[in-house]
Amino acid sequence: MTTKKLRTGGEVDAWCTKCRLDLTHRIIAMVGDVVKKVECKTCMSHHLYRQPKSERESRAAARAASRSSGEPRATSSASTRGGGVERLTAAQRAERDHTLAWERAIAGKPSGAFKPYRITLTFGEGELIHHSKFGDGVVAKVIDRGKIEILFKDGPRTMAHGQP
């Protein structure tokens, strides 16, 4: 842990949500003496400050050691089971919603119902597409004459269509 006073523009070790590692971050927002937002110096992503995983694990181990041996099992397992669904991040919820929408659109359709995607073809809303890289998808909306949004299993993608 650092002995210097934390300040905006300074550096702090934090868990990077994109790199998924403990890395050096630049502090970009604070409330009082508490770090709120940081920028990873490796991938340059901005995110809320999260303690380094190594610090969280050491604190959890210290808390577990200070408790009596019988009580933590009941409370920790109950809190883990009860809060699992509620703790989804916005990105995880969006990914789940995209996957469910894709599954509903694709469910029960024969493989012959999917048109192969080609940039020269023109597609309409609701048409089933098979892309060589992204797999099966459905046209979610026609953005304009040359662009469509296709919902694939891994999420929506804006793609060109009707190009000569």
Side-chain angles (χ1 to χ4, degrees):
M1 191 112 186
T2 181
T3 56
K4 288 185 177 181
K5 181 173 170 49
L6 298 176
R7 60 180 176 78
T8 305
E11 294 181 351
V12 65
D13 287 337
W15 174 257
C16 180
T17 56
K18 189 172 181 183
C19 299
R20 313 220 24 95
L21 295 167
D22 289 339
L23 296 168
T24 303
H25 287 67
R26 180 177 295 112
I27 301 169
I28 57 176
M30 294 183 71
V31 175
D33 291 334
V34 180
V35 177
K36 290 296 181 181
K37 199 164 186 182
V38 293
E39 175 186 35
C40 179
K41 294 186 77 172
T42 302
C43 69
M44 307 311 265
S45 67
H46 293 201
H47 55 83
L48 296 176
Y49 171 75
R50 288 176 178 78
Q51 286 183 332
K53 195 172 186 178
S54 56
E55 282 184 29
R56 285 182 294 184
E57 290 171 350
S58 64
R59 286 185 184 185
R63 277 194 307 264
S66 66
R67 291 182 187 160
S68 64
S69 61
E71 289 179 27
R73 287 187 194 127
T75 57
S76 65
S77 63
S79 65
T80 303
R81 275 185 273 133
V85 174
E86 297 168 10
R87 293 187 183 169
L88 290 176
T89 65
Q92 289 170 327
R93 279 193 299 273
E95 183 178 341
R96 180 190 63 199
D97 293 344
H98 287 302
T99 303
L100 289 173
W102 175 82
E103 286 174 352
R104 274 187 244 117
I106 302 301
K109 305 290 194 265
S111 60
F114 292 87
K115 284 177 150 179
Y117 171 80
R118 288 193 188 86
I119 198 168
T120 56
L121 297 176
T122 303
F123 301 100
E125 201 167 307
E127 285 192 64
L128 299 172
I129 308 285
H130 177 77
H131 191 277
S132 59
K133 181 175 180 181
F134 305 120
D136 294 336
V138 62
V139 178
K141 65 181 173 185
V142 177
I143 298 170
D144 62 30
R145 271 187 335 149
K147 291 183 197 173
I148 54 175
E149 183 175 286
I150 303 176
L151 182 61
F152 292 104
K153 185 174 184 177
D154 63 344
R157 296 188 184 275
T158 301
M159 304 189 80
H161 76 129
Q163 304 295 314

